Amino acid sequence: MTATLGLLDGRPLPRTPLDHRLAALRTGPRSTALPQPGSSEDRQLSRWVAQVLLTEALCEAVAAERNLPVGAEAPARLDQQAAVELGSITAAAYEGSPAVRAVYESVTAEIEASPEEVAHYRTMTTRPPAVVWQLALPDGECEATPDTLPQALAGALRQAGPGEWVTAGAWTAALLSERTITADHDITPDIRDATRRATFVRWLDRERAHRLTLVEGLEHPGDPAQPDNHHRH
């Protein structure tokens, strides 16, 4: 197994952080939901985590180049729509890395939505009133609509009292509060945030293509049949 995670501007990045991140996941509160070690799904998980780490390393380098202040803030929590718009890899990096969040703010600070983008966003996102639940999970809090949750979990939460923990299958949660989003709320901040996220995704895709290389063996880590060379991510 190669000891290199990938290359950033041609500079090798060690694999050790990947091993540590995977070990933390496998001993964490959601370990039972992870794929069986050695399976094809497990190899896909390793590749996914590797790309999250490479994204974090890239943004750490950019933050240093731009002299951006990067603190030691607690992990952020994106709402469901923001996570979808960023994509799973970028969303995970954004939530876990202060450097990614600092670069996001720098790259998108001057972004404003055009009239065309406002009209498109309004067309795509106008919905009937919807109930949003504020949930407590074993590793933090999040918002979700009931219809996006596993049916058994949503049913158990409806029957439980406020703040009461319930378990349905592999899921454990507590319903803290709920609110109703109406179609007539001011969507201007939502539009700007969506435009900023789209801008960041495009910028990050260009930077990844230009500056990052993922070790090919990570596609099937530990598989001796995989050649120890590189390909452009």
Side-chain angles (χ1 to χ4, degrees):
M1 181 185 299
T2 179
T4 300
L5 172 66
L7 304 177
L8 172 59
D9 297 329
R11 173 175 58 88
L13 298 173
R15 182 192 165 92
T16 304
L18 173 61
D19 296 331
H20 289 169
R21 187 73 61 89
L22 290 171
L25 288 173
R26 289 171 179 142
T27 57
R30 298 184 178 180
S31 59
T32 57
L34 296 181
Q36 185 71 22
S39 65
S40 60
E41 292 82 6
D42 184 56
R43 293 191 290 269
Q44 291 173 2
L45 173 65
S46 296
R47 179 177 173 81
W48 182 87
V49 174
Q51 293 182 80
V52 172
L53 289 168
L54 286 173
T55 299
E56 293 174 356
L58 170 61
C59 288
E60 288 166 5
V62 173
E65 293 161 4
R66 299 188 178 198
N67 294 315
L68 301 178
V70 177
E73 299 96 338
R77 177 70 69 174
L78 292 166
D79 62 38
Q80 188 175 44
Q81 181 172 329
V84 169
E85 290 173 350
L86 286 174
S88 66
I89 293 170
T90 302
Y94 180 97
E95 289 187 332
S97 170
V100 177
R101 297 194 290 274
V103 172
Y104 174 89
E105 294 298 329
S106 175
V107 169
T108 67
E110 304 300 322
I111 297 300
E112 297 292 344
S114 68
E116 293 78 15
E117 288 171 324
V118 170
H120 177 72
Y121 186 88
R122 192 180 297 277
T123 299
M124 297 299 295
T125 61
T126 298
R127 298 289 187 271
V131 173
V132 177
W133 285 354
Q134 181 72 26
L135 301 175
L137 304 174
D139 59 348
E141 295 184 6
C142 73
E143 286 191 340
T145 56
D147 60 351
T148 63
L149 300 174
Q151 187 174 2
L153 177 61
L157 288 169
R158 287 190 178 97
Q159 296 177 13
E164 179 182 346
W165 287 91
V166 302
T167 298
W171 300 89
T172 298
L175 176 57
L176 301 179
S177 63
E178 65 177 53
R179 61 188 177 92
T180 300
I181 299 177
T182 59
D184 59 355
H185 77 288
D186 181 12
I187 65 171
T188 303
D190 299 336
I191 297 170
R192 181 171 187 264
D193 287 343
T195 303
R196 293 178 72 191
R197 287 189 286 268
T199 299
F200 186 65
V201 168
R202 291 192 296 269
W203 175 87
L204 195 53
D205 283 346
R206 291 193 299 268
E207 292 296 304
R208 283 172 174 149
H210 179 62
R211 301 182 63 174
L212 287 178
T213 304
L214 178 64
V215 171
E216 186 172 346
L218 286 174
E219 189 162 358
H220 299 284
D223 185 346
Q226 286 292 319
D228 187 14
N229 55 15
H230 307 84
H231 74 281
R232 178 66 61 183
H233 169 63

